[in-house]
C-alpha cells in the first residue's frame, strides 16, 4: 500500500503552511511567473492563472495521492498573504526520505521566510512522519538557496556535475536552457537540534534574497 502525506497545516511564529486552495490562484501565478523562479526552477513558463488552477486542483492532489510528495502554501500568519511554496518530491517511503525545495515571492524575499518554512517542514517530517532523510538540491550558482540550506543545518554531500538545467532569457525575450551543477545537501533528524541552536544564536531567521 502506498504511503501518502496527510493534508495538514503547520504554523511558525510568522507563517502558516497549509494546502493550496483556489484563492491562491492569482498569487501563485504571479509568484511562479517571476524572472528568477523561471530561471532556477523547472516550473512551466509562462505560468498563467489557468496553469496555477490546474496545479492546485489537479497536479498537487495527484502527487500527494500517489505518495510522491506534497505542496504546501506558505502564508503570512497575520495577513494570510501567500509568500511562498514548500515542495516535497521524490519521496521514498521505504527509505523514509524526500526532497525539499522552496520558492519565495519576489516581494517577500529578504525576510528569512524560506529558512523558517523549510525548518518547520523538516521538523514535522522527522517527528510526525518519521522520515530519516531530507534532501535538498541547489544549483551551483544559486547562492541564496545554498545559504538557506546551511542555515537550517543541512550538510553538503557533494556535487552532481552537469545535472541541473537552468534557464536564461534571450534578447528576444524567450527562454533558453543552460547546464550547470547541482549541490546536494542532506538533513537528518540529529541535525535539527544544531539548526535550532544556530538560529537562537543569530537571533532568529536572517534575511536572504531567498526564493528557491
Amino acid at each position: 500500500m502506498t504511503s501518502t502525506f496527510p493534508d495538514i497545516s503547520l504554523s511558525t511564529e510568522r507563517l502558516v503552511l497549509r494546502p493550496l486552495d483556489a484563492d491562491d490562484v492569482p498569487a501563485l501565478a504571479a509568484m511562479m511567473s517571476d524572472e528568477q523562479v523561471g530561471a532556477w526552477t523547472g516550473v512551466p513558463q509562462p505560468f498563467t492563472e489557468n496553469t496555477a488552477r490546474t496545479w492546485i486542483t489537479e497536479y498537487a492532489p495527484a502527487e500527494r495521492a500517489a505518495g510522491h510528495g506534497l505542496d504546501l502554501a506558505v502564508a503570512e500568519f497575520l495577513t494570510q498573504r501567500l509568500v511562498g511554496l514548500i515542495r516535497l518530491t521524490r519521496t521514498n517511503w521505504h527509505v523514509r526520505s524526500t526532497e525539499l525545495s522552496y520558492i519565495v515571492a519576489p516581494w517577500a524575499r529578504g525576510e528569512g521566510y524560506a529558512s523558517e518554512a523549510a525548518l518547520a517542514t523538516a521538523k514535522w517530517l522527522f517527528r510526525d512522519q518519521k522520515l530519516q532523510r531530507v534532501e535538498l538540491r541547489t544549483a551551483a550558482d544559486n547562492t541564496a538557496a545554498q545559504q538557506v540550506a546551511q542555515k537550517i543545518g543541512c550538510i553538503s554531500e557533494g556535487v552532481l556535475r552537469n545535472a541541473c538545467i537552468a534557464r536564461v532569457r534571450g534578447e528576444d525575450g524567450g527562454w533558453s536552457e543552460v547546464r550547470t551543477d547541482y549541490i546536494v545537501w542532506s538533513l537528518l533528524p540529529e541535525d535539527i537540534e544544531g539548526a535550532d541552536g544556530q538560529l537562537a544564536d543569530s537571533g532568529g531567521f536572517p534575511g536572504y534574497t531567498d526564493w528557491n
Side-chain angles (χ1 to χ4, degrees):
M1 182 176 180
T2 301
S3 297
T4 61
F5 290 116
D7 272 327
I8 53 94
S9 292
L10 307 172
S11 61
T12 69
E13 182 179 346
R14 301 183 297 169
L15 303 172
V16 175
L17 285 68
R18 55 164 177 77
L20 289 159
D21 61 40
D23 291 340
D24 295 318
V25 165
L28 182 65
M31 179 174 67
M32 295 297 211
S33 298
D34 176 66
E35 190 82 5
Q36 292 190 62
V37 175
W40 291 115
T41 76
V43 299
Q45 295 295 330
F47 201 98
T48 65
E49 289 199 4
N50 283 337
T51 307
R53 188 172 294 105
T54 299
W55 186 298
I56 292 170
T57 61
E58 299 178 22
Y59 176 74
E63 288 292 286
R64 189 186 74 82
H68 296 161
L70 181 68
D71 284 0
L72 290 173
V74 181
E76 285 183 323
F77 184 80
L78 293 178
T79 67
Q80 294 302 304
R81 188 177 182 185
L82 186 72
V83 302
L85 184 70
I86 290 285
R87 301 199 66 216
L88 304 177
T89 56
R90 301 179 185 176
T91 305
N92 186 318
W93 292 99
H94 178 67
V95 177
R96 311 300 296 182
S97 69
T98 194
E99 183 177 329
L100 184 150
S101 59
Y102 34 83
I103 295 173
V104 176
W107 66 269
R109 293 171 191 158
E111 300 296 329
Y113 286 146
S115 51
E116 186 171 343
L119 185 58
T121 304
K123 288 180 178 180
W124 171 73
L125 290 169
F126 292 143
R127 295 173 185 174
D128 292 5
Q129 299 302 298
K130 309 304 180 186
L131 265 63
Q132 296 299 309
R133 174 183 170 88
V134 172
E135 183 174 305
L136 287 75
R137 297 186 180 191
T138 62
D141 295 328
N142 191 349
T143 56
Q146 293 160 29
Q147 289 174 324
V148 173
Q150 291 171 329
K151 194 62 189 178
I152 67 172
C154 292
I155 303 299
S156 176
E157 294 185 330
V159 176
L160 297 179
R161 296 185 302 161
N162 227 25
C164 175
I165 295 179
R167 291 180 287 199
V168 295
R169 283 282 195 188
E171 293 183 359
D172 61 356
W175 292 101
S176 59
E177 295 182 344
V178 295
R179 301 197 72 95
T180 185
D181 300 337
Y182 266 135
I183 299 176
V184 180
W185 308 79
S186 68
L187 190 66
L188 305 184
E190 56 265 32
D191 299 327
I192 288 292
E193 293 182 6
D196 284 339
Q198 291 177 32
L199 290 169
D201 291 342
S202 65
F205 293 89
Y208 297 122
T209 311
D210 48 16
W211 52 273
N212 172 34

